[in-house]
Amino acid sequence: MAQVATDSAMVALGELNLPNRLLLGPGPCNVDPRVLLSSAAPQLGHLDPVLLKIMEETAALLRWMFQTNNEMTLCVSGSGFSGAEAVLTNLLEEGDTILVGNVGYFSGQIAEISRRAGAHVVNLPVEWGQPMEAAQLERAFQEYPHAKIFATVIAETSTGLHQPLADLERVTHAHNALFVVDAVCGLGGIPINVDEMKIDACYSGSQKCLGALPGLAPVTLNERAVQAIQNRRKPVQSYYLDLQLLNRYWNGDHFYHHTICSNLIYGMREALRIAMEEGLEARWARHQLHGDALKAGIEALGLKIYTQPGCALPVLTAVYLPEQANELAIRQQLLSEYDIEISGGLGQLKGRLLRIGMMGYNANRKSVDTLLAALEHVLPRCGVQVTPGAALAAADKVYHSR
Ligand SMILES: Cc1ncc(COP(=O)(O)O)c(C=O)c1O
């Protein structure tokens, strides 16, 4: 039988006593204190006119962040995958065909979500770490000319790949399909201009380069995508993720759909305000600079970047470990001795990669230098010999070259 805690034992638990981590994994990342402070403001009811106004402002800021005029722009209440589920389950119906540019773990999840939505999924596998070529997509459309959607990930967090989209978009639209992009990791850190890039539906997450707290998934859909939803034969199976209902709550008559967390919205609004103060171009350049400095330091440590040169993300660096390295020990020592969290490989790369994020508020020189110094100390104890001082010197060189 389960043990029931006594009242006195529960009181004795005391207050939370939390470590102060530097979150340098693939997200969540630390947020600006302004985001935390704004999230601590008094709650509002989910239909309070003041909150509805704040949501309206947040949607407008999101349109700016996505660089879109799409009316259907909102946050799904949930993490990045809730945005994926919302977009895919609203666009797909039983028997529809979706082509998936499977360039890593997260694009693989697009296939999984689509399969569960009853779609016929055509996986277009690409060797991990390398980008998908348009010719592969063209061949798939020849075989499946009635495919409704092509979907892939712009920032594949499992491999550090920055997937070029322009050619894939051209092929997709030449075959009259919808172009769907996962931007969970990229939005706010790399150039994503939804309208200019002709993305029909795009979803993201709050806790990465946007610099907000986890728990919200920004999504945006253009007229074509909205039409596809309106033309469904059957209503979308999920009430909670029904984008037409969510859009009424966010951008329409504000009818009650679900109880949104006002405090998460305050935090998202503040994170977007901070981004606007910085400016998009400056923000992308900042992520590029610190990503480059980190990579230079990593290479000076004698380690390899996993991703194909020319296609590596600035915001997420995937480091390929030599055979003798103990990946788990590296991460555990960084966490216990330095309070630094980084991540390991997923799926087929488990145990072989370190995944390091330079995202949002954390994309700065202090993060780069702190991590490189800690790695220099930890790596030799985990099977990797390093040249003392080389990493920080290499990063410094990048900082002085710009
Ligand atoms: C590219 C990508 N897509 C989707 C997700 C899923 O997001 P979440 O964990 O917030 O549900 C992640 C999370 O790391 C991601 O990096």
Side-chain angles (χ1 to χ4, degrees), residues 18-21 23 28-43 206-207 210-214 261-274 361-362:
L18 302 174
N20 190 4
R21 307 283 200 217
L23 299 174
C29 55
N30 303 88
V31 299
D32 191 306
R34 279 172 57 185
V35 172
L36 282 180
L37 275 176
S38 64
S39 302
Q43 286 161 267
S206 45
Q207 75 274 21
L210 288 181
L213 294 167
C261 175
S262 55
N263 303 61
L264 284 182
I265 302 290
Y266 311 153
M268 171 62 84
R269 179 181 176 279
E270 190 63 8
L272 292 167
R273 247 166 44 88
I274 291 168
Y361 182 64
N362 280 350

Side-chain angles (χ1 to χ4, degrees), residues 79-81 106 153 155 157 182 184-185 207-208:
S79 73
F81 276 136
F106 289 101
V153 176
T157 329
D182 171 324
V184 172
C185 176
Q207 75 274 21
K208 301 186 192 252

